[in-house]
Amino acid sequence: MVERIKFEFKSFGKPGGGSVVVFVNDALETGENAAGALGPEVLATIARAATAEAFKGKLKKVLVIAAPQGIEADRLVVVGTGPAADLAKLDWVQLGGIAQGHLSGTRASLLVALPGHDVTPEAAADLTLGMQLRAYTFDKYKTKKDADEKAAKPLKATLFVSDPAAARQVAKAREAVANGVLTARELVNEPPNVLYPEEFADRAATLEKVGVDVEILDEKQLKKLGFRALLGVAQGSHREARVVVMRWNGAGAKDQPVAFIGKGVTFDTGGISIKPGAGMEDMKGDMAGAACVVGLMQALAQRKARVNAVGLIGLVENMPDGRAQRPGDIVTSLSGQTIEIINTDAEGRLVLADVLWYAQDRFKPAFMIDLATLTGAILVALGQEHAGLFSNDDTLSERLAAAGRETGEKVWRMPLAPAYDKMIDSKFADMKNTGGRYGGSITAAQFLQRYVKDTPWAHLDIAGTGMNAPQTDINKSWGSGWGVRLLDRLVRDHYEG
């Protein structure tokens, strides 16, 4: 958790105690300030150990020296940054995760310097973000822990930097982003008997503590408003549906808001079109889109983003009760458009249809972005390296792609076209909720587009990235918190006044 690391920033001086981290290029050179703090004896120790271990300072490679001579430290962690020519392109968030993975004990000192390269306060702050993300674990339900886990104490990390005051200030914003990511991870990791729609809504309401206005719409209100597509998904569960509206007002009262919408199916059996039993336990993560929206709203509020943002999440549980929606049913959505239910396991788009329509009608946003673990087909198309991006707006798409490259939360734009849209035409209603086997991610996005008017809109299919994604240098958790950093970066770069 974030609170397990306490950061402080100091001007360069001699580090000591616990783990000491130093960064070197592929010539085993470090920055002048770091070299001066370590002294010639320690630099000689690094050179000898590098020769013995064939360590050449390649990017992401690490050399650990236990009880090094010439310095008061339990271990010296030498992190490679690769060729000197590439130093300006370094991902300091990733480097922070790599460094964190090799720390032990309760104290750490990081000499944040490189030869011939000015390590900015932003880079130093990114280092802390990577450390916080890597340190996260989800073990709250384990009653038996080994001695190391029981004895674990908060880490105090001192970063030696050129401008401590500036780095400290930027790190506050990075801490807010880290908090948002970890909130999203925590929600995705929770078991479905603990995190059902009402409980999820209650947890979202805790954002009021950081200045977010939260409104919870219960089933009675949803019925009155006409959320019939969303309620159709929920009707097979004894858990009531919820829609949560979160507002952060960080700009002027007349400034147009930006909107983020999340699919929050807290457990998805598939309904009457029930899923196979193998792997169904993973369907507790079918609310990763909603988790991202909650984490993002927390991050924006905690860093006091200069933007008006609204986050909306539709929360349901999809179960095969005797009251459950059937294939062949026809429902009337909030928009007034009718939907023939072909497959009750194509439920997320029904939830999003009503929430998207509500968001654009009520808030008139500058843009809308929805996130959903929507289709298995997106994993077939893109694996788990990219989220699928569908959009009616080239500018918004290009900005999302740029934010993805900057944060490592990458997106790949997929097509939308009239020929695909025809695949969801129905003989009995305005549309059907699935277009069949081929182009499944695309027809799902075409379905959503029918609930978007002229508002710039993007749909992110995060089925491959939001849960059970491959572990990385900054995430060892089943729930990734994917999307918080991406969307925070988008807002920070393009939409804050």
Side-chain angles (χ1 to χ4, degrees):
M1 300 297 291
V2 170
E3 62 268 23
R4 294 182 63 81
I5 306 180
K6 304 296 183 183
F7 293 102
E8 64 175 355
F9 296 86
K10 290 184 177 181
S11 297
F12 281 94
K14 194 167 186 66
S19 300
V20 174
V21 179
V22 61
F23 301 92
V24 300
N25 64 15
D26 61 354
L28 302 184
E29 300 168 328
T30 187
E32 182 179 347
N33 287 329
L38 292 173
E41 185 177 2
V42 177
L43 296 177
T45 297
I46 292 174
R48 290 195 301 272
T51 299
E53 297 292 336
F55 174 77
K56 301 183 183 301
K58 292 183 178 179
L59 180 63
K60 296 179 62 176
K61 298 298 182 180
V62 177
L63 172 67
V64 178
I65 305 170
Q69 292 184 353
I71 189 172
E72 184 184 337
D74 299 326
R75 54 167 46 191
L76 182 61
V77 180
V78 185
V79 180
T81 60
D86 295 340
L87 296 184
K89 304 175 185 177
L90 286 176
D91 184 342
W92 284 94
V93 177
Q94 184 183 65
L95 289 177
I98 292 169
Q100 176 65 29
H102 290 83
L103 301 182
S104 65
T106 60
R107 296 174 61 194
S109 300
L110 294 89
L111 299 167
V112 189
L114 284 171
H117 178 72
D118 181 25
V119 180
T120 65
E122 288 75 17
D126 281 343
L127 196 66
T128 68
L129 173 58
M131 292 176 69
Q132 292 176 88
L133 297 181
R134 175 63 179 263
Y136 172 80
T137 59
F138 184 80
D139 58 5
K140 64 191 290 187
Y141 295 106
K142 290 187 176 183
T143 60
K144 296 180 181 179
K145 299 181 182 180
D146 60 35
D148 289 340
E149 290 175 317
K150 290 179 179 178
K153 295 181 180 179
L155 171 68
K156 181 179 180 180
T158 301
L159 277 71
F160 292 90
V161 296
S162 297
D163 189 342
R168 188 180 302 114
Q169 185 63 33
V170 181
K172 291 180 181 178
R174 300 297 191 272
E175 183 178 16
V177 175
N179 288 339
V181 174
L182 300 195
T183 290
R185 287 182 185 175
E186 196 83 359
L187 289 167
V188 176
N189 285 330
E190 286 283 12
N193 60 317
V194 172
L195 193 73
Y196 43 88
E198 301 99 314
E199 172 65 17
F200 197 133
D202 288 344
R203 294 199 188 189
T206 64
L207 295 190
E208 291 180 338
K209 297 177 182 178
V210 296
V212 177
D213 294 329
V214 181
E215 177 185 3
I216 298 175
L217 304 176
D218 62 20
E219 277 208 356
K220 184 178 179 180
Q221 292 168 297
L222 295 173
K223 288 177 182 176
K224 184 176 181 180
L225 289 167
F227 280 73
R228 288 173 291 268
L230 180 148
L231 291 171
V233 178
Q235 71 190 40
S237 172
H238 75 280
R239 301 290 192 185
E240 289 194 357
R242 294 287 186 270
V243 168
V244 182
V245 180
M246 297 160 282
R247 285 173 287 181
W248 165 250
N249 298 312
K254 295 183 179 180
D255 287 3
Q256 197 174 12
V258 295
F260 304 96
I261 294 95
K263 170 190 171 184
V265 180
T266 59
F267 192 78
D268 181 20
T269 66
I272 296 299
S273 307
I274 196 165
K275 295 176 181 289
M280 194 191 286
E281 67 276 8
D282 286 351
M283 289 300 98
K284 71 174 188 174
D286 208 19
M287 32 58 70
C292 169
V293 172
V294 173
L296 174 66
M297 296 301 294
Q298 177 179 349
L300 295 176
Q302 287 192 325
R303 71 173 181 81
K304 301 190 183 307
R306 299 182 305 277
V307 67
N308 292 335
V310 57
L312 301 97
I313 55 176
L315 303 173
V316 300
E317 185 180 59
N318 188 22
M319 298 292 281
D321 182 85
R323 300 170 299 172
Q325 186 165 250
R326 294 153 295 235
D329 284 359
I330 293 177
V331 296
T332 302
S333 66
L334 178 62
S335 72
Q337 298 175 91
T338 56
I339 306 162
E340 180 190 4
I341 308 302
I342 300 298
N343 188 323
T344 64
D345 195 22
E347 85 298 330
R349 64 202 70 181
L350 302 176
V351 173
L352 290 173
D354 279 348
V355 181
L356 282 167
W357 191 267
Y358 184 74
Q360 66 186 345
D361 256 18
R362 179 175 173 184
F363 296 105
K364 308 296 188 295
F367 69 73
M368 298 192 296
I369 297 174
D370 76 75
L371 302 94
T373 49
L374 205 64
T375 66
I378 203 65
L379 283 99
V380 177
L382 299 177
Q384 295 183 284
E385 298 302 316
H386 292 77
L389 164 63
F390 303 82
S391 182
N392 64 3
D393 187 87
D394 291 341
T395 299
L396 181 58
S397 294
E398 290 164 5
R399 289 175 174 179
L400 277 166
R405 291 189 293 270
E406 291 292 330
T407 60
E409 295 190 336
K410 297 175 289 186
V411 300
W412 191 266
R413 192 170 185 184
M414 302 284 283
L416 292 170
Y420 293 112
D421 196 61
K422 290 179 181 179
M423 294 170 67
I424 58 170
D425 285 341
S426 166
K427 295 179 182 178
F428 307 106
D430 295 326
M431 70 199 78
K432 52 189 178 180
N433 75 324
T434 178
R437 179 181 179 187
Y438 299 122
S441 297
I442 301 172
T443 54
Q446 294 286 175
F447 180 95
L448 295 179
Q449 190 176 29
R450 294 195 181 195
Y451 295 88
V452 177
K453 299 177 184 177
D454 296 326
T455 303
W457 157 77
H459 159 59
L460 297 176
D461 193 333
I462 64 171
T465 57
M467 59 178 178
N468 200 25
Q471 294 190 348
T472 68
D473 293 317
I474 58 173
N475 179 41
K476 300 301 177 182
S477 169
W478 187 84
S480 65
W482 193 99
V484 175
R485 293 175 58 222
L486 170 77
L487 298 179
D488 178 79
R489 184 61 182 252
L490 173 77
V491 170
R492 181 154 53 96
D493 285 352
H494 299 291
Y495 296 99
E496 289 193 57

